[in-house]
Amino acid sequence: MTDSLTATSSSSPAGSARRFDCVIFDCDGVLVDSEHLVNRLLNQMLNELGIEISLADSTAMFLGRAVREELGNIERMRGAPLPENWLSHWLARRNAMLESEVEAVPHVRDAIVAIAATGMPLCVASGADRIKVKLQLTRTGLVELFRQDEREHIFSATEVERSKPAPDVYLLAARTMGVAPERCAVIEDSPAGITAGVAAGMTVFGYAGRNDPAMLRAAGAHLTFADMRELPGLVA
């Protein structure tokens, strides 16, 4: 179900009918249906460390956050340092799982194509590492939709100092795309990502395909929607 609009973007420049000058997509949970896969594996690996935590609780704690920036929290939960090379093992198991299992979010390809057909610039800004982003977009065939003039408009936490919920990757995307932050629409699915988009001064649309829309609104989403077929009309 789509909520009614409760806010408006900044006024369009003279002669422009656009509400926005760029649409910025998060990757995990928005372009690719990966969050439930990654959270399942993380919960398994936390339990392997002796941390007794349910899937629901670990998902709520780590949703939309980069594991490499949560190592201190995991050590505190464990009450001991992590085993040597735990992060590299996590990355290897995560990548292997995604390579074999991840799929595109339903109808997202058609939504992207429809938005691009209007001439709207598009890009990806993820809180994950670039290897993960490229792996998933390549497997699902979505990477080609973010190429223009032999350049890939893909930004990741690898290129910035802080991952989400900090706004760094969104600000990098806007700066590189040559668009003012307040003229950007962000498509997000997690509270951490919504917090990042709002902190960047952007209008955030919360995709509630798997997550509670009330949780996304509480994080600051401009509105929520649950079907990617609605998206072209929302950002038009």
Side-chain angles (χ1 to χ4, degrees):
M1 180 178 67
T2 303
D3 302 309
S4 59
L5 293 174
T6 58
T8 57
S9 61
S10 57
S11 58
S12 299
S16 173
R18 287 179 177 170
R19 295 180 61 205
F20 303 104
D21 292 333
C22 186
V23 178
I24 308 177
F25 290 85
D26 175 43
C27 183
D28 291 279
V30 171
L31 297 176
V32 297
D33 193 16
S34 58
E35 292 283 21
H36 68 293
L37 300 174
V38 172
N39 286 315
R40 182 188 68 197
L41 176 62
L42 179 58
N43 179 259
Q44 177 183 338
M45 292 186 67
L46 291 175
N47 279 273
E48 289 171 2
L49 288 171
I51 300 171
E52 295 184 3
I53 185 170
S54 69
L55 176 58
D57 286 344
S58 63
T59 296
M61 184 175 299
F62 295 103
L63 180 65
R65 296 177 179 270
V67 169
R68 70 182 179 284
E69 295 188 5
E70 299 295 326
L71 299 182
N73 287 334
I74 295 173
E75 288 185 332
R76 282 188 286 274
M77 294 167 65
R78 187 174 189 243
L82 288 171
E84 187 177 359
N85 298 324
W86 185 86
L87 180 60
S88 62
H89 289 308
W90 154 253
L91 294 172
R93 289 173 66 176
R94 180 204 68 182
N95 291 350
M97 176 194 63
L98 293 172
E99 183 66 51
S100 64
E101 297 185 47
V102 75
E103 302 291 344
V105 164
H107 310 296
V108 74
R109 170 178 283 276
D110 290 342
I112 296 168
V113 170
I115 295 169
T118 69
M120 181 81 73
L122 307 172
C123 66
V124 180
S126 173
D129 55 275
R130 193 172 187 85
I131 290 174
K132 181 186 182 188
V133 177
K134 283 295 297 291
L135 181 158
Q136 296 183 109
L137 294 182
T138 300
R139 170 178 160 80
T140 56
L142 296 176
V143 68
E144 65 193 43
L145 302 180
F146 297 98
R147 287 197 187 109
Q148 186 176 11
D149 300 327
E150 299 183 357
R151 294 180 57 197
E152 290 181 348
H153 296 308
I154 298 171
F155 308 94
S156 72
T158 307
E159 288 96 55
V160 293
E161 182 177 352
R162 302 172 299 171
S163 186
K164 301 171 185 178
D168 299 25
V169 72
Y170 281 125
L171 293 173
L172 171 65
R175 186 166 61 249
T176 306
M177 298 295 288
V179 179
E182 62 271 19
R183 296 290 300 161
C184 294
V186 165
I187 317 303
E188 266 287 358
D189 75 311
S190 73
I194 290 169
T195 298
V198 171
M202 301 175 180
T203 301
V204 184
F205 294 80
Y207 175 59
R210 284 189 178 270
N211 296 329
D212 180 5
M215 175 181 70
L216 305 183
R217 289 194 297 271
H222 174 65
L223 60 85
T224 61
F225 67 104
D227 190 322
M228 280 294 172
R229 288 172 289 192
E230 299 179 64
L231 184 58
L234 296 178
V235 300

